[in-house]
Amino acid sequence: MRYLKAAALTILMFSFSAIAITTIKGTMNVYKPEFVIENKSGTLISNVRNFKLEARQTVIDDYCTVTTDNNLALQGGTLSAGYCLFEWNNTAGYSIDGFKVEGIASNSGPNSIGYSIYYYSGSAKAKKLVDTKNFSFNFAAPVKSTVQGYSVKLGNSWKSVGDHTNYNPTNKFSAVRVNVDARDFSQKVSIPSLGSCTVVSGATSCDISFSGIKLGDAISNKVGSLSYQVSVDSSNSYWGVSNTKHALTSSLDLPTNKNWPF
Protein backbone atom coordinates (compact mmCIF):
# COMPACT_ATOMS: atom_id res chain seq x y z
CA MET A 1 0.00 0.00 0.00
CA ARG A 2 2.84 2.28 0.81
CA TYR A 3 4.30 1.49 -2.59
CA LEU A 4 1.18 2.56 -4.43
CA LYS A 5 1.05 5.84 -2.56
CA ALA A 6 4.62 6.53 -3.44
CA ALA A 7 3.94 5.74 -7.08
CA ALA A 8 0.89 7.95 -7.10
CA LEU A 9 2.85 10.75 -5.53
CA THR A 10 5.55 10.37 -8.14
CA ILE A 11 3.03 10.50 -10.94
CA LEU A 12 1.40 13.57 -9.43
CA MET A 13 4.69 15.40 -9.09
CA PHE A 14 5.69 14.56 -12.64
CA SER A 15 2.40 15.76 -14.01
CA PHE A 16 2.76 19.07 -12.16
CA SER A 17 6.25 19.57 -13.64
CA ALA A 18 4.98 18.88 -17.14
CA ILE A 19 2.22 21.46 -16.81
CA ALA A 20 4.77 24.12 -15.71
CA ILE A 21 6.65 23.94 -19.04
CA THR A 22 5.10 26.64 -21.25
CA THR A 23 6.01 27.60 -24.82
CA ILE A 24 5.50 31.24 -25.86
CA LYS A 25 5.16 31.96 -29.56
CA GLY A 26 5.34 35.42 -31.15
CA THR A 27 7.49 37.95 -33.01
CA MET A 28 9.99 40.40 -31.56
CA ASN A 29 10.59 43.43 -33.80
CA VAL A 30 13.94 45.17 -33.52
CA TYR A 31 14.45 48.44 -35.44
CA LYS A 32 17.77 49.93 -36.40
CA PRO A 33 17.97 53.73 -36.38
CA GLU A 34 17.81 55.05 -39.94
CA PHE A 35 18.48 58.43 -41.56
CA VAL A 36 17.93 60.21 -44.87
CA ILE A 37 20.35 62.82 -46.14
CA GLU A 38 18.66 65.93 -47.52
CA ASN A 39 20.05 68.63 -49.81
CA LYS A 40 19.58 72.03 -48.15
CA SER A 41 21.39 74.15 -50.75
CA GLY A 42 19.32 74.06 -53.95
CA THR A 43 21.14 73.47 -57.23
CA LEU A 44 24.26 71.34 -56.80
CA ILE A 45 27.23 72.56 -58.85
CA SER A 46 30.77 71.25 -58.51
CA ASN A 47 33.87 73.39 -57.98
CA VAL A 48 32.14 76.78 -57.68
CA ARG A 49 29.14 76.50 -55.32
CA ASN A 50 29.01 75.52 -51.66
CA PHE A 51 26.59 72.69 -50.85
CA LYS A 52 24.85 71.90 -47.56
CA LEU A 53 23.50 68.46 -46.60
CA GLU A 54 21.68 67.45 -43.44
CA ALA A 55 20.97 63.99 -41.99
CA ARG A 56 17.45 63.54 -40.63
CA GLN A 57 16.44 60.49 -38.57
CA THR A 58 13.42 58.63 -39.97
CA VAL A 59 13.43 55.45 -37.85
CA ILE A 60 13.90 55.78 -34.09
CA ASP A 61 15.16 52.90 -31.94
CA ASP A 62 13.74 52.90 -28.39
CA TYR A 63 17.06 51.69 -27.02
CA CYS A 64 19.63 53.53 -29.12
CA THR A 65 19.94 57.31 -28.86
CA VAL A 66 22.02 58.43 -31.85
CA THR A 67 24.68 61.06 -31.24
CA THR A 68 27.59 62.57 -33.17
CA ASP A 69 29.56 63.03 -29.93
CA ASN A 70 32.09 60.21 -29.70
CA ASN A 71 32.73 60.78 -25.98
CA LEU A 72 29.03 60.50 -25.24
CA ALA A 73 28.75 57.33 -27.30
CA LEU A 74 31.66 55.79 -25.35
CA GLN A 75 29.56 55.96 -22.18
CA GLY A 76 27.55 53.04 -23.52
CA GLY A 77 24.31 52.59 -21.60
CA THR A 78 22.15 50.42 -19.37
CA LEU A 79 20.00 47.41 -20.19
CA SER A 80 17.13 49.73 -21.07
CA ALA A 81 18.86 52.54 -22.99
CA GLY A 82 22.19 53.49 -24.54
CA TYR A 83 23.99 55.54 -27.14
CA CYS A 84 24.93 54.92 -30.77
CA LEU A 85 27.47 56.94 -32.75
CA PHE A 86 26.68 58.61 -36.10
CA GLU A 87 29.60 59.16 -38.49
CA TRP A 88 29.62 60.65 -42.00
CA ASN A 89 31.06 58.67 -44.94
CA ASN A 90 33.02 60.07 -47.92
CA THR A 91 33.29 63.61 -46.54
CA ALA A 92 37.06 64.20 -46.54
CA GLY A 93 37.79 67.88 -47.08
CA TYR A 94 34.29 69.00 -46.09
CA SER A 95 33.17 70.83 -42.97
CA ILE A 96 31.14 68.73 -40.51
CA ASP A 97 28.89 70.12 -37.79
CA GLY A 98 26.99 67.32 -36.08
CA PHE A 99 24.34 66.03 -38.48
CA LYS A 100 25.27 68.67 -41.10
CA VAL A 101 28.01 68.69 -43.72
CA GLU A 102 29.00 71.34 -46.25
CA GLY A 103 31.72 72.16 -48.74
CA ILE A 104 32.50 72.43 -52.45
CA ALA A 105 32.50 69.20 -54.45
CA SER A 106 35.53 68.82 -56.70
CA ASN A 107 33.89 66.42 -59.16
CA SER A 108 30.82 66.85 -61.33
CA GLY A 109 28.36 63.99 -61.80
CA PRO A 110 27.27 61.53 -59.08
CA ASN A 111 28.92 62.02 -55.69
CA SER A 112 28.35 59.45 -52.94
CA ILE A 113 27.92 60.71 -49.38
CA GLY A 114 26.54 58.58 -46.56
CA TYR A 115 26.68 57.60 -42.91
CA SER A 116 27.49 54.74 -40.56
CA ILE A 117 26.08 54.00 -37.11
CA TYR A 118 28.15 52.25 -34.42
CA TYR A 119 27.91 51.26 -30.79
CA TYR A 120 30.68 50.57 -28.28
CA SER A 121 30.44 47.07 -26.83
CA GLY A 122 31.58 45.78 -23.45
CA SER A 123 34.22 47.03 -21.08
CA ALA A 124 36.76 47.02 -23.93
CA LYS A 125 34.57 49.50 -25.83
CA ALA A 126 34.87 47.58 -29.07
CA LYS A 127 33.37 49.62 -31.92
CA LYS A 128 30.61 47.60 -33.60
CA LEU A 129 28.86 48.56 -36.84
CA VAL A 130 25.06 48.76 -36.64
CA ASP A 131 24.26 50.02 -40.15
CA THR A 132 25.71 51.99 -43.05
CA LYS A 133 24.09 53.71 -46.03
CA ASN A 134 25.23 55.89 -48.91
CA PHE A 135 23.28 58.38 -50.99
CA SER A 136 24.13 59.67 -54.48
CA PHE A 137 23.98 63.40 -55.23
CA ASN A 138 24.40 64.63 -58.79
CA PHE A 139 26.54 67.75 -59.19
CA ALA A 140 26.33 69.73 -62.44
CA ALA A 141 29.50 70.96 -64.14
CA PRO A 142 29.99 74.75 -63.82
CA VAL A 143 29.49 77.00 -66.85
CA LYS A 144 32.14 79.69 -67.24
CA SER A 145 31.22 83.30 -66.61
CA THR A 146 30.92 85.77 -69.51
CA VAL A 147 30.92 89.56 -69.67
CA GLN A 148 27.97 90.91 -71.65
CA GLY A 149 28.68 94.63 -71.40
CA TYR A 150 29.33 97.53 -69.09
CA SER A 151 28.38 101.09 -68.23
CA VAL A 152 30.48 103.85 -66.66
CA LYS A 153 29.53 106.68 -64.33
CA LEU A 154 30.73 110.09 -65.47
CA GLY A 155 29.74 112.83 -63.07
CA ASN A 156 26.21 111.96 -61.95
CA SER A 157 25.21 110.07 -65.10
CA TRP A 158 25.58 106.47 -66.15
CA LYS A 159 26.67 106.05 -69.77
CA SER A 160 26.30 102.81 -71.71
CA VAL A 161 28.75 101.24 -74.16
CA GLY A 162 29.39 103.55 -77.12
CA ASP A 163 28.51 106.70 -75.20
CA HIS A 164 31.51 107.24 -72.97
CA THR A 165 32.70 110.59 -74.30
CA ASN A 166 32.95 113.22 -71.62
CA TYR A 167 32.32 116.87 -72.57
CA ASN A 168 32.29 118.36 -69.07
CA PRO A 169 35.70 119.04 -67.48
CA THR A 170 34.20 118.82 -63.99
CA ASN A 171 32.88 115.29 -64.48
CA LYS A 172 34.93 112.48 -63.03
CA PHE A 173 34.97 108.78 -63.76
CA SER A 174 33.80 107.18 -60.47
CA ALA A 175 32.13 103.79 -61.09
CA VAL A 176 31.74 100.86 -63.48
CA ARG A 177 28.70 98.60 -63.81
CA VAL A 178 29.56 95.26 -65.38
CA ASN A 179 26.86 93.05 -66.91
CA VAL A 180 27.30 89.27 -67.01
CA ASP A 181 25.25 86.18 -67.79
CA ALA A 182 23.29 84.90 -64.78
CA ARG A 183 24.72 81.82 -63.09
CA ASP A 184 23.60 79.60 -60.19
CA PHE A 185 26.72 80.58 -58.28
CA SER A 186 28.20 83.89 -57.18
CA GLN A 187 30.63 85.59 -59.57
CA LYS A 188 33.46 88.02 -58.89
CA VAL A 189 34.19 90.90 -61.26
CA SER A 190 37.65 92.46 -61.02
CA ILE A 191 39.26 95.51 -62.62
CA PRO A 192 42.91 96.02 -61.62
CA SER A 193 43.55 99.38 -59.93
CA LEU A 194 39.79 100.09 -59.67
CA GLY A 195 38.49 97.25 -57.48
CA SER A 196 36.09 94.34 -57.57
CA CYS A 197 32.46 93.44 -56.88
CA THR A 198 30.35 90.31 -56.47
CA VAL A 199 27.42 89.26 -58.64
CA VAL A 200 25.18 87.16 -56.39
CA SER A 201 23.72 83.89 -57.64
CA GLY A 202 21.03 84.53 -60.26
CA ALA A 203 21.88 88.24 -60.71
CA THR A 204 23.36 89.82 -63.86
CA SER A 205 25.42 92.83 -62.75
CA CYS A 206 27.38 94.56 -60.01
CA ASP A 207 28.96 97.99 -59.51
CA ILE A 208 32.54 98.93 -58.68
CA SER A 209 32.86 102.39 -57.11
CA PHE A 210 36.08 104.26 -56.46
CA SER A 211 37.49 107.76 -55.92
CA GLY A 212 36.72 109.97 -58.89
CA ILE A 213 39.30 110.00 -61.71
CA LYS A 214 39.64 113.18 -63.76
CA LEU A 215 39.51 112.54 -67.49
CA GLY A 216 41.93 114.75 -69.39
CA ASP A 217 42.55 118.45 -69.05
CA ALA A 218 40.82 121.36 -70.74
CA ILE A 219 44.15 122.71 -72.01
CA SER A 220 46.90 120.09 -71.95
CA ASN A 221 44.99 116.87 -72.65
CA LYS A 222 41.78 117.47 -74.55
CA VAL A 223 41.53 114.06 -76.21
CA GLY A 224 42.51 110.61 -74.97
CA SER A 225 41.32 107.43 -73.37
CA LEU A 226 41.81 105.12 -70.39
CA SER A 227 41.84 101.36 -70.83
CA TYR A 228 41.16 98.68 -68.23
CA GLN A 229 40.87 94.93 -68.31
CA VAL A 230 37.70 93.43 -66.85
CA SER A 231 37.77 89.82 -65.67
CA VAL A 232 34.92 87.72 -64.27
CA ASP A 233 35.30 84.43 -62.46
CA SER A 234 33.52 82.37 -59.83
CA SER A 235 33.75 83.90 -56.35
CA ASN A 236 36.27 81.20 -55.35
CA SER A 237 38.40 81.90 -58.49
CA TYR A 238 37.91 78.43 -59.94
CA TRP A 239 39.06 79.32 -63.47
CA GLY A 240 41.67 81.90 -62.50
CA VAL A 241 42.31 85.26 -64.14
CA SER A 242 45.90 84.32 -65.07
CA ASN A 243 44.76 81.19 -66.90
CA THR A 244 44.20 82.47 -70.43
CA LYS A 245 42.28 79.38 -71.37
CA HIS A 246 39.59 80.16 -68.83
CA ALA A 247 40.04 83.82 -67.91
CA LEU A 248 37.38 86.06 -69.40
CA THR A 249 38.35 89.65 -70.12
CA SER A 250 36.83 92.68 -71.80
CA SER A 251 38.51 95.95 -72.76
CA LEU A 252 37.09 99.07 -71.17
CA ASP A 253 37.91 102.21 -73.18
CA LEU A 254 37.06 105.52 -71.55
CA PRO A 255 37.49 108.45 -74.01
CA THR A 256 38.31 111.76 -72.36
CA ASN A 257 37.08 115.15 -73.50
CA LYS A 258 36.79 115.59 -77.25
CA ASN A 259 35.62 119.14 -77.15
CA TRP A 260 35.74 120.91 -73.82
CA PRO A 261 33.03 123.61 -73.67
CA PHE A 262 35.20 126.58 -72.80
Side-chain angles (χ1 to χ4, degrees):
M1 190 68 180
R2 289 179 180 176
Y3 174 80
L4 292 176
K5 287 182 178 180
L9 180 60
T10 301
I11 293 172
L12 180 61
M13 291 177 65
F14 178 80
S15 299
F16 180 80
S17 298
I19 293 172
I21 298 174
T22 305
T23 300
I24 300 175
K25 294 183 179 181
T27 302
M28 179 178 293
N29 295 319
V30 178
Y31 299 98
K32 294 183 294 185
E34 293 185 14
F35 287 77
V36 294
I37 299 178
E38 299 173 331
N39 172 24
K40 298 293 185 178
S41 52
T43 304
L44 298 173
I45 305 176
S46 68
N47 298 291
V48 296
R49 176 169 174 147
N50 194 69
F51 71 83
K52 295 181 180 180
L53 304 178
E54 185 172 338
R56 178 173 60 86
Q57 190 167 359
T58 56
V59 177
I60 298 176
D61 178 6
D62 290 337
Y63 174 82
C64 182
T65 299
V66 183
T67 178
T68 59
D69 186 337
N70 188 65
N71 291 329
L72 186 60
L74 280 169
Q75 294 179 16
T78 65
L79 291 176
S80 59
Y83 292 101
C84 290
L85 179 65
F86 177 101
E87 288 187 349
W88 287 97
N89 297 337
N90 307 322
T91 53
Y94 299 147
S95 175
I96 294 175
D97 180 14
F99 294 102
K100 299 177 182 179
V101 61
E102 64 177 283
I104 297 179
S106 58
N107 297 310
S108 58
N111 281 249
S112 178
I113 296 177
Y115 70 88
S116 294
I117 295 177
Y118 303 89
Y119 73 93
Y120 288 102
S121 176
S123 59
K125 303 298 182 182
K127 193 175 183 180
K128 303 292 185 180
L129 179 66
V130 175
D131 194 20
T132 185
K133 287 187 177 181
N134 288 309
F135 297 79
S136 182
F137 295 91
N138 192 52
F139 286 77
V143 179
K144 286 185 287 188
S145 305
T146 56
V147 174
Q148 290 298 319
Y150 56 88
S151 300
V152 299
K153 189 175 183 181
L154 297 174
N156 294 320
S157 301
W158 283 95
K159 296 182 178 292
S160 59
V161 176
D163 186 25
H164 293 169
T165 302
N166 179 32
Y167 295 98
N168 188 338
T170 64
N171 286 343
K172 291 184 177 181
F173 169 44
S174 61
V176 180
R177 177 172 296 152
V178 181
N179 301 313
V180 300
D181 283 332
R183 294 286 185 264
D184 285 327
F185 55 88
S186 60
Q187 305 174 75
K188 183 178 181 180
V189 176
S190 301
I191 303 177
S193 78
L194 296 184
S196 63
C197 62
T198 298
V199 182
V200 298
S201 176
T204 57
S205 68
C206 69
D207 296 352
I208 300 175
S209 299
F210 38 86
S211 298
I213 299 173
K214 186 177 180 180
L215 301 179
D217 183 86
I219 298 175
S220 63
N221 184 20
K222 296 182 179 181
V223 179
S225 65
L226 298 175
S227 295
Y228 296 90
Q229 289 291 310
V230 181
S231 64
V232 58
D233 201 345
S234 63
S235 59
N236 66 335
S237 302
Y238 171 60
W239 286 284
V241 173
S242 62
N243 187 337
T244 56
K245 183 178 181 180
H246 297 294
L248 304 173
T249 61
S250 176
S251 295
L252 181 62
D253 295 320
L254 304 172
T256 60
N257 166 271
K258 278 188 176 181
N259 183 18
W260 293 111
F262 61 91

